[in-house]
Amino acid sequence: MTFDELIDAVQTEGHYPTRQRAEEIVRTLLAALGRQLTGDERVELAARLPEEAAVEFAAQIPASTQLTGGEFVDELATREPGATTATARWDAGSVLGVIGRAAGPELLRRILRQLPDGYALLFGQAQLSPMAHA
């Protein structure tokens, strides 16, 4: 996937009116995700992203404390002028769904295991809770 194809996929998925708006959202989400992921998953995801996207993602310094999915959305809402929690959730789902498909199922499972609760739905996956042992 090229960077242009990534932007086109997000524009289609998110129903953004312009390519420019889709690119803004992609860059915002890549930066936000880059602050959350660490380790091998971070390196592998960067390798699967188009070069321009990988640079945006990898340029971020991981935060010392990871945000839950809800906190992640709340933070996004504060970074975009005029955004609400609902629009930030839509933006996150539009971009992370495309990124999750680019990552592939195995890497996406590992990414979701690394991140706190609440990210699976943002990546378009079911949020499963581990079963308690009897």
Side-chain angles (χ1 to χ4, degrees):
M1 172 184 295
T2 67
F3 188 69
D4 286 338
E5 290 169 337
L6 173 65
I7 300 303
D8 291 344
V10 168
Q11 184 178 3
T12 299
E13 185 132 336
H15 303 283
Y16 295 106
T18 66
R19 191 173 192 297
Q20 179 183 356
R21 181 67 183 139
E23 184 172 342
E24 290 168 3
I25 297 299
V26 166
R27 290 183 185 281
T28 298
L29 262 294
L30 285 168
L33 185 60
R35 291 188 292 276
Q36 298 303 306
L37 278 181
T38 61
D40 292 341
E41 290 78 14
R42 178 184 176 92
V43 173
E44 287 181 45
L45 181 58
R48 294 182 190 190
L49 293 172
E51 184 177 354
E52 193 170 342
V55 168
E56 188 81 38
F57 169 75
Q60 305 305 309
I61 297 170
S64 58
T65 304
Q66 289 180 314
L67 302 174
T68 65
E71 292 166 338
F72 180 80
V73 168
D74 290 343
E75 182 182 273
L76 288 172
T78 66
R79 291 181 180 271
E80 285 289 314
T84 65
T85 301
T87 60
R89 189 177 303 112
W90 179 267
D91 294 342
S94 298
V95 176
L96 296 181
V98 173
I99 289 174
R101 289 191 298 277
E106 190 274 325
L107 177 56
L108 181 55
R109 274 191 297 279
R110 290 183 15 235
I111 288 170
L112 291 174
R113 276 197 307 264
Q114 183 191 120
L115 293 169
D117 286 342
Y119 283 87
L121 292 174
L122 298 175
F123 278 96
Q125 304 292 305
Q127 179 74 47
L128 302 177
S129 300
M131 292 181 60
H133 295 288

